[in-house]
Amino acid sequence: MGKMIYLDNAATTRTAPEVVEAMLPYFTEFYGNASTVYEFGGKSKEAIAKARETIANAIGAKDNEIYFTAGGSESDNWALKATAEAYKSKGKHIITSKIEHHAILHTCQWLEQQGYEVTYLDVDENGLVKLDELKKAIRPDTILISIMFANNEIGTIEPIAEIGKIAKEHDILFHTDAVQAFGQVPINVDEMNIDMLSTSGHKLNGPKGIGFLYIRKGVKIRSFVHGGAQERKRRAGTENVPGIVGFGKAVELAVSTMKERTDKEIELRDYLIDRVLKEVPFTRVNGDRKNRLPNNINFCFQFIEGESLLIMLDMKGICGSSGSACTSGSLDPSHVLLAIGLPHEIAHGSLRLTLGADTTKEDIDYTIDAIKDIVAQLREMSPLYEDYIKKHN
Amino acid sequence: MGKMIYLDNAATTRTAPEVVEAMLPYFTEFYGNASTVYEFGGKSKEAIAKARETIANAIGAKDNEIYFTAGGSESDNWALKATAEAYKSKGKHIITSKIEHHAILHTCQWLEQQGYEVTYLDVDENGLVKLDELKKAIRPDTILISIMFANNEIGTIEPIAEIGKIAKEHDILFHTDAVQAFGQVPINVDEMNIDMLSTSGHKLNGPKGIGFLYIRKGVKIRSFVHGGAQERKRRAGTENVPGIVGFGKAVELAVSTMKERTDKEIELRDYLIDRVLKEVPFTRVNGDRKNRLPNNINFCFQFIEGESLLIMLDMKGICGSSGSACTSGSLDPSHVLLAIGLPHEIAHGSLRLTLGADTTKEDIDYTIDAIKDIVAQLREMSPLYEDYIKKHN
Amino acid sequence: MYSEKVMDHFKNPRNMGEIENASGVGTVGNAKCGDIMRIFLDIDDNGIIQDVKFKTFGCGAAVATSSMATELVKGKNVQEALQVTNKAVMEALDGLPPVKVHCSLLAEEAIHAALWDYAEKNGIKIEGLEKPKNDISEGEEEEEY
Amino acid sequence: MYSEKVMDHFKNPRNMGEIENASGVGTVGNAKCGDIMRIFLDIDDNGIIQDVKFKTFGCGAAVATSSMATELVKGKNVQEALQVTNKAVMEALDGLPPVKVHCSLLAEEAIHAALWDYAEKNGIKIEGLEKPKNDISEGEEEEEY
Ligand SMILES: Cc1ncc(COP(=O)(O)O)c(C=O)c1O
Ligand SMILES: Cc1ncc(COP(=O)(O)O)c(C=O)c1O
């Protein structure tokens, strides 16, 4: 491979070398099962306890409120399905938004098949959940509100503290999918009145296949994966010690570098957005310009289609995404872009670039030039552009 | 730490250095998300495809019948819950055994709460499922038979081919929890008429936090973890590329070394069992002496309690287990030992030793001597032994 | 994801562009589904396709199938062009991923649409050519999980 | 899992053994639950515990609490011995894991049982001593998930 500019950090990140370093001893040296009697297993147990503490501190939680899972999707499934089950005698109504990740949306659809009722809140043109609509949607049988902390496609950060407050006032559980936000923006579960929170290790330079669900003490959630007594009997399965250790290390790094890293990302992000908006016609930015993840850029380029754009960027060594990487197997345009009011043909022309700690000004300049070239080239090829030009000449 | 003789390979194994080696590039070099358009993500996709092929070949399956999960517990939960859901219009009766792992038993209990009916088959004194009882348990509304390939505590290998045949004759799905058997005994899903099969990577010198569920093409199972379109839309979550690659490597090693490794283990296993039976009075072997995992040893030493035994073995550097490691948080004696007919006080005195590829004759001799000493010492301390001796003198 | 042939035709699309005053122009697909193909045919008096151009809005496979389809019909007569199936296009590209098979159907249909336009403009009837659908529904049924 | 103190008392149990013709012997727990403790007391005419021994079938914590309990009552008089609570045993051991708290209850109960036996044998009544239960049900309720 030649030059590579990796701008798909929302899909996954490079595992930090320090993280791998921290994990290594737990593969071949301290490989003991953490749930054993002998001292050797105690090494694993201690390592898990340390990671749990680091992580709990990062979100203002207590150690025993952190439950390790296999990632964001499992955390989301667990949070929704198992609270739905535990609170069904109270009610069967759940509120979420139209721009959640599929791990939430498909879980909600499954819950609907099980007899639950789900309200999918609209968002405004920037992807912000409307608080008054949230309030209106609340019913006596509402048991759960699940709104993502920040959107994975357009980077919009939701008013989580306000939502938490509303949920608390109505005595309704509040879950947030913080898979994209964790490590990028400060989170405090107490101040924000969050009862459950999902994360995934590989989104913040930790390993893939590990995540956690924060569960506030007192929440009567049931198990999702039944079996052994791990994770205080709530999540069965031999503990993924290296994964947990790596996650802990990644969180430690993400927290300690957050301010500096995101300040730099914000600067590069806004520089790229501003230049592309100025230099590429028929372009729009998706997502809120202010309440936005530090590393997220999302455009729609009219008259062209995203996959072609991605392949041509790839030919120049730039890795980006169009809609969520998780759904690239699908042919539908992004449900998020549709929800913020874009027509299908515009939604098809989206490009998401998500920066990382290593992204440089040079990378960004190179990328801007590449975008300009490629968009022009694809428009040259586009019958839609032809029609538009003919109509307006 | 001084000397260590690790004889708890059924709890978890050391990740093989070759496995770690194979994983490493996928953390920091080829860290791309496998579900992306750019070539860089293609590296991850290819690595997954290769692992999937290795694994499919290992059990005589097709590539597209292997679905990666986070481990044995998730595979078991998925297999049971999602077939129960998919086939509920056919019936709501499931057959399993009393000696399954908790990942099966607790899932069955959950299913019972959801309105399913579960028959828990008795086993004989060696832990073998009785085929005539299985046949008798089958009803028109039976949708699934789930019997483990080999038991994790007493090592008994179940008559899987025969069970598969019965299931097939009755047109009932057959799932087997092969977490302990995979890599230790030859498995062929076609010859054995297995429709679904659970495994876990860390039991065969692969990494923790990865497993797979084999699902025969045509089985109408639903998703368990809903979300993105990974694993042919059946199991959501960003692929754990290093985990999958490591699992693939571990399977490759396990398959290629199986004959030699297990021949050696069987010899050491039987040597230890025979000597301990001869040299330590009031001792019994649990599990079938013939249909037995090559690396499994399980004793009950009368008048003493297992945890004390473990701690004292640990003091001599020997790692063993008493009952399943997963349940060591519990105070109940092993449900498996109760199911083979042992009274509680005998069940409490169990010791499981599970050998690995590196176990040597010296380790075994040292362990035998340790057992003899420790059992004598603990009996000296035991009021039960005192009573017995007084009564019989 | 794509074969080398597909990537080659995507990177270096053959016959991209338009033909002014073409003998026939066909546009199929719709922006909603993310694929639109437009084929321009220059057909001489002997019914031979002298030139062909395309414009495509769509994914890599859409571009590559358009490119390959134009190559396959160039120089052929109308009847021969009609025989160029989506299967032929796919084979010439060394295959397509399952989710992209509909692109090849679209390419076949775009040729047919251009031929239909040609026939209409010239008041002739081409044996075996039915009025093309404007839209191609996906061939594949998704499995329900 | 265990504190150093617990491990020390497990590895080097104090007062392990039996006393022939003891002034009082108490056995509590049952094999079903995996813990049995037997305490032997040698009490002199002044009601002072001159010697104490134990035998225990059970886990590490069961052995350590037995050992510690015997240490705590040794040399005390009957009334003082009665004041040795499970909490005192636990504290002396620098704590126990939650699942093992019942072991300390068992140790307390074993002392009481031996004292009861002593009282019965001598036809006396010890102020504040109730007939010990033979069995200790677990103090903890398991959370239902
Ligand atoms: C038979 C059996 N099934 C399932 C499991 C669960 O596997 P894991 O802990 O990897 O989820 C185990 C391991 O503890 C096992 O031995
Ligand atoms: C917002 C959001 N939620 C959930 C997930 C799922 O996380 P994972 O793929 O690690 O299971 C993702 C990542 O794709 C995400 O961006």
Side-chain angles (χ1 to χ4, degrees):
Chain A
M1 250 177 320
K3 183 190 185 69
M4 184 174 88
I5 297 177
Y6 185 74
L7 295 176
D8 202 12
N9 287 285
T12 196
T13 57
R14 176 166 183 247
T15 310
E18 299 93 318
V19 168
V20 179
E21 206 60 47
M23 295 168 74
L24 280 179
Y26 296 92
F27 285 112
T28 51
E29 201 177 341
F30 306 122
Y31 54 85
N33 191 312
S35 312
T36 50
V37 168
Y38 39 81
E39 229 179 289
F40 178 58
K43 302 270 177 205
S44 304
K45 205 168 169 176
E46 280 162 31
I48 293 174
K50 183 162 166 269
R52 203 187 300 277
E53 191 185 335
T54 303
I55 286 171
N57 287 340
I59 60 168
K62 292 177 213 73
D63 293 10
N64 59 10
E65 297 175 319
I66 304 295
Y67 296 85
F68 290 108
T69 67
S73 301
E74 183 191 326
S75 296
D76 284 344
N77 274 258
W78 183 12
L80 268 56
K81 292 179 187 173
T83 41
E85 186 185 340
Y87 288 88
K88 66 169 174 249
S89 62
K90 184 189 163 196
K92 293 188 134 193
H93 179 239
I94 293 167
I95 300 173
T96 186
S97 84
K98 287 204 172 135
I99 62 163
E100 299 295 315
H101 190 268
H102 284 137
I104 295 291
L105 291 179
H106 289 168
T107 300
C108 283
Q109 282 150 20
W110 182 84
L111 283 169
E112 287 178 308
Q113 291 167 15
Q114 315 301 311
Y116 291 83
E117 224 181 302
V118 182
T119 301
Y120 300 89
L121 294 176
D122 283 320
V123 294
D124 73 11
E125 69 281 6
N126 292 324
L128 287 163
V129 164
K130 299 170 189 160
L131 297 177
D132 50 339
E133 296 215 354
L134 168 61
K135 283 184 210 156
K136 267 185 271 170
I138 291 174
R139 314 190 316 208
D141 62 339
T142 305
I143 51 174
L144 179 67
I145 296 171
S146 179
I147 303 287
M148 69 201 317
F149 206 113
N151 183 269
N152 47 307
E153 295 191 35
I154 59 174
T156 300
I157 300 173
E158 301 296 338
I160 292 300
E162 287 82 349
I163 296 170
K165 196 155 162 278
I166 294 169
K168 192 174 184 175
E169 279 163 11
H170 290 81
D171 201 19
I172 295 167
L173 289 181
F174 174 38
H175 167 257
T176 186
D177 174 346
V179 169
Q180 291 292 338
F182 185 49
Q184 295 231 49
V185 294
I187 298 179
N188 185 298
V189 290
D190 281 346
E191 287 167 16
M192 297 172 168
N193 287 308
I194 296 165
D195 295 311
M196 290 180 283
L197 178 142
S198 304
T199 70
S200 195
H202 69 99
K203 305 283 187 183
L204 57 153
N205 304 103
K208 296 176 170 67
I210 189 79
F212 71 82
L213 179 63
Y214 157 78
I215 307 174
R216 183 179 291 284
K217 188 159 168 54
V219 172
K220 280 187 310 194
I221 192 171
R222 307 216 34 197
S223 281
F224 175 56
V225 179
H226 292 89
Q230 293 91 352
E231 297 297 287
R232 312 180 75 234
K233 295 193 190 154
R234 284 184 150 174
R235 199 279 193 176
T238 302
E239 295 91 343
N240 177 357
V241 188
I244 291 169
V245 167
F247 196 7
K249 186 73 191 174
V251 171
E252 182 192 315
L253 295 173
V255 168
S256 67
T257 64
M258 191 186 297
K259 176 85 180 77
E260 198 186 352
R261 170 170 42 91
T262 56
D263 279 355
K264 189 189 129 200
E265 284 174 349
I266 287 172
E267 199 181 312
L268 292 176
R269 174 195 77 185
D270 290 342
Y271 170 73
L272 187 148
I273 292 178
D274 292 337
R275 270 196 61 194
V276 167
L277 280 182
K278 209 173 321 160
E279 301 177 27
V280 182
F282 309 112
T283 298
R284 58 163 281 147
V285 191
N286 301 311
D288 199 279
R289 285 292 311 254
K290 208 167 62 61
N291 299 307
R292 184 180 200 94
L293 286 176
N295 74 344
N296 176 288
I297 294 164
N298 193 306
F299 293 117
C300 279
F301 300 105
Q302 227 177 312
F303 315 124
I304 69 174
E305 192 275 339
E307 192 201 280
S308 291
L309 178 56
L310 290 186
I311 300 176
M312 291 182 79
L313 282 168
D314 188 27
M315 282 156 55
K316 293 184 190 269
I318 300 166
C319 299
S321 116
S322 181
S324 164
C326 298
T327 57
S328 72
S330 146
L331 297 165
D332 298 326
S334 148
H335 66 282
V336 176
L337 300 177
L338 298 179
I340 60 171
L342 301 186
H344 276 68
E345 63 270 28
I346 306 280
H348 278 297
S350 79
L351 173 68
R352 180 187 70 181
L353 300 173
T354 40
L355 318 186
D358 312 333
T359 311
T360 64
K361 179 86 179 343
E362 289 71 54
D363 295 342
I364 294 295
D365 280 321
Y366 177 87
T367 303
I368 295 169
D369 289 343
I371 289 173
K372 285 165 63 177
D373 279 7
I374 292 167
V375 169
Q377 226 177 311
L378 286 173
R379 284 187 179 155
E380 200 48 45
M381 202 189 279
S382 169
L384 294 173
Y385 188 62
E386 182 191 322
D387 293 350
Y388 178 87
I389 294 299
K390 287 200 174 131
K391 211 189 277 173
H392 293 80
N393 271 354
Chain B
M1 247 176 329
K3 182 191 188 69
M4 184 175 88
I5 297 176
Y6 185 73
L7 295 176
D8 202 13
N9 287 283
T12 196
T13 56
R14 177 166 182 247
T15 310
E18 300 94 315
V19 168
V20 179
E21 205 61 49
M23 295 168 75
L24 279 179
Y26 295 92
F27 285 111
T28 51
E29 201 178 342
F30 305 122
Y31 55 85
N33 191 311
S35 310
T36 51
V37 168
Y38 40 81
E39 230 179 289
F40 178 59
K43 303 268 176 206
S44 304
K45 204 169 170 173
E46 280 162 30
I48 293 175
K50 184 165 165 265
R52 204 188 299 277
E53 191 185 334
T54 303
I55 286 171
N57 287 341
I59 59 167
K62 292 177 212 76
D63 293 10
N64 59 11
E65 297 175 321
I66 304 295
Y67 297 85
F68 290 109
T69 67
S73 300
E74 182 191 327
S75 297
D76 282 345
N77 274 258
W78 184 10
L80 266 56
K81 292 179 185 173
T83 41
E85 186 185 341
Y87 289 87
K88 65 169 173 248
S89 62
K90 186 188 162 197
K92 293 188 133 193
H93 179 239
I94 293 167
I95 299 172
T96 186
S97 83
K98 287 203 171 135
I99 62 163
E100 299 296 314
H101 190 268
H102 284 137
I104 295 290
L105 291 180
H106 290 168
T107 299
C108 283
Q109 281 150 21
W110 182 86
L111 283 168
E112 287 177 308
Q113 290 167 16
Q114 313 301 311
Y116 291 83
E117 224 181 303
V118 182
T119 300
Y120 300 90
L121 294 175
D122 283 322
V123 294
D124 72 11
E125 70 280 7
N126 292 325
L128 288 162
V129 164
K130 299 170 190 161
L131 297 176
D132 50 339
E133 295 215 353
L134 168 62
K135 283 185 208 156
K136 267 186 270 171
I138 291 173
R139 316 191 312 208
D141 62 341
T142 306
I143 52 175
L144 178 67
I145 295 171
S146 179
I147 302 288
M148 70 201 315
F149 206 114
N151 184 269
N152 47 307
E153 294 190 38
I154 58 174
T156 300
I157 299 172
E158 299 297 336
I160 292 300
E162 286 80 350
I163 296 170
K165 194 154 165 277
I166 294 169
K168 195 179 181 166
E169 279 164 9
H170 291 81
D171 201 20
I172 296 169
L173 288 181
F174 174 39
H175 167 259
T176 187
D177 174 345
V179 168
Q180 291 292 339
F182 185 49
Q184 293 232 51
V185 294
I187 297 180
N188 185 297
V189 290
D190 282 345
E191 288 166 15
M192 296 171 169
N193 287 308
I194 295 166
D195 295 311
M196 289 179 286
L197 177 141
S198 303
T199 70
S200 194
H202 69 98
K203 303 285 187 184
L204 57 154
N205 303 101
K208 295 177 171 66
I210 190 78
F212 72 82
L213 180 62
Y214 157 78
I215 307 174
R216 182 177 292 283
K217 191 165 165 49
V219 172
K220 281 187 308 193
I221 192 172
R222 308 219 34 200
S223 281
F224 175 56
V225 180
H226 292 89
Q230 293 92 350
E231 297 297 290
R232 314 182 71 235
K233 295 193 191 153
R234 283 184 150 174
R235 200 280 191 175
T238 300
E239 296 90 343
N240 178 357
V241 187
I244 291 171
V245 167
F247 196 7
K249 187 72 193 175
V251 171
E252 183 192 315
L253 294 174
V255 168
S256 67
T257 62
M258 191 185 296
K259 175 86 179 76
E260 198 185 351
R261 172 172 38 92
T262 56
D263 278 356
K264 187 188 131 202
E265 284 174 350
I266 287 172
E267 199 181 313
L268 291 177
R269 173 195 78 186
D270 290 341
Y271 170 73
L272 188 147
I273 292 178
D274 291 338
R275 269 197 60 194
V276 168
L277 280 183
K278 209 172 320 159
E279 301 176 26
V280 183
F282 308 111
T283 299
R284 58 164 280 150
V285 191
N286 300 311
D288 200 280
R289 284 294 311 253
K290 205 165 64 59
N291 300 307
R292 183 180 201 96
L293 287 175
N295 73 344
N296 175 289
I297 294 164
N298 193 307
F299 293 115
C300 279
F301 300 106
Q302 227 176 314
F303 315 122
I304 70 174
E305 193 275 339
E307 193 201 277
S308 291
L309 178 56
L310 290 186
I311 300 176
M312 291 183 81
L313 282 168
D314 187 27
M315 282 156 53
K316 293 185 190 266
I318 301 167
C319 299
S321 115
S322 181
S324 165
C326 299
T327 55
S328 72
S330 146
L331 296 166
D332 298 326
S334 149
H335 65 282
V336 175
L337 299 178
L338 297 180
I340 60 171
L342 301 186
H344 276 69
E345 64 269 27
I346 306 281
H348 278 298
S350 79
L351 173 69
R352 179 186 72 178
L353 301 172
T354 41
L355 318 186
D358 311 334
T359 311
T360 63
K361 178 85 177 345
E362 288 71 52
D363 295 342
I364 293 296
D365 279 322
Y366 177 87
T367 303
I368 295 169
D369 289 343
I371 290 174
K372 284 165 62 179
D373 278 5
I374 293 167
V375 169
Q377 227 176 311
L378 286 172
R379 284 187 179 155
E380 199 49 44
M381 202 188 284
S382 169
L384 294 173
Y385 188 63
E386 181 191 322
D387 292 350
Y388 179 88
I389 295 299
K390 288 201 174 133
K391 208 187 281 173
H392 293 79
N393 270 357
Chain C
M1 149 158 112
Y2 291 131
S3 71
E4 273 177 44
K5 275 265 180 68
V6 172
M7 285 307 292
D8 178 41
H9 275 261
F10 176 75
K11 290 183 196 176
N12 311 294
R14 326 294 201 261
N15 311 309
M16 202 279 285
E18 38 189 310
I19 298 175
E20 298 213 10
N21 306 315
S23 325
V25 181
T27 304
V28 295
N30 68 51
K32 202 174 162 198
C33 294
D35 292 300
I36 296 180
M37 289 185 197
R38 179 171 298 162
I39 300 270
F40 304 83
L41 295 175
D42 178 16
I43 301 177
D44 70 13
D45 296 346
N46 299 323
I48 305 291
I49 298 174
Q50 288 296 348
D51 200 8
V52 48
K53 295 276 183 200
F54 80 90
K55 283 214 169 177
T56 288
F57 162 87
C59 63
V63 173
T65 52
S66 312
S67 168
M68 181 53 88
T70 57
E71 282 287 274
L72 291 179
V73 299
K74 199 169 182 173
K76 296 230 160 76
N77 68 30
V78 166
Q79 269 305 326
E80 287 164 345
L82 206 53
Q83 307 311 318
V84 173
T85 60
N86 82 302
K87 241 184 109 221
V89 172
M90 282 211 288
E91 272 167 19
L93 287 168
D94 293 343
L96 284 177
V99 285
K100 300 295 187 182
V101 171
H102 73 285
C103 292
S104 65
L105 287 163
L106 210 58
E108 178 189 319
E109 207 67 5
I111 300 286
H112 290 191
L115 289 172
W116 181 267
D117 182 48
Y118 161 75
E120 287 222 311
K121 277 184 182 151
N122 292 281
I124 61 178
K125 190 176 175 336
I126 299 174
E127 189 70 30
L129 179 63
E130 289 173 28
K131 184 165 166 48
K133 285 165 274 165
N134 188 40
D135 217 350
I136 304 293
S137 64
E138 286 171 39
E140 284 203 312
E141 273 297 286
E142 299 215 351
E143 284 184 64
E144 211 341 274
Y145 292 128
Chain D
M1 149 159 114
Y2 290 131
S3 71
E4 273 175 45
K5 276 268 181 65
V6 172
M7 285 307 291
D8 176 40
H9 275 263
F10 176 74
K11 289 184 197 174
N12 310 296
R14 326 293 199 261
N15 310 310
M16 203 278 287
E18 39 190 309
I19 298 176
E20 298 213 11
N21 305 317
S23 326
V25 181
T27 304
V28 295
N30 68 52
K32 201 172 166 200
C33 295
D35 291 299
I36 296 180
M37 289 185 197
R38 178 170 300 163
I39 300 269
F40 304 82
L41 295 175
D42 178 16
I43 301 177
D44 70 12
D45 296 346
N46 300 321
I48 306 291
I49 299 174
Q50 290 294 349
D51 199 8
V52 48
K53 296 275 182 197
F54 80 90
K55 284 214 172 179
T56 288
F57 161 87
C59 63
V63 173
T65 52
S66 312
S67 168
M68 181 55 86
T70 56
E71 283 287 275
L72 291 179
V73 300
K74 202 168 179 172
K76 295 224 162 76
N77 68 31
V78 166
Q79 270 304 326
E80 287 163 344
L82 206 55
Q83 307 310 319
V84 173
T85 61
N86 81 302
K87 241 185 107 219
V89 173
M90 282 209 288
E91 272 166 20
L93 287 168
D94 293 343
L96 284 176
V99 285
K100 301 293 189 183
V101 172
H102 73 283
C103 292
S104 65
L105 287 164
L106 210 59
E108 178 188 322
E109 208 64 8
I111 301 285
H112 291 190
L115 289 172
W116 182 267
D117 182 48
Y118 160 74
E120 289 222 311
K121 277 185 181 149
N122 292 280
I124 60 178
K125 191 174 174 340
I126 299 174
E127 190 70 28
L129 179 64
E130 289 173 30
K131 185 168 166 48
K133 286 168 274 167
N134 187 39
D135 218 351
I136 303 294
S137 64
E138 288 171 37
E140 285 203 313
E141 271 298 283
E142 299 216 351
E143 284 185 65
E144 213 336 279
Y145 293 127

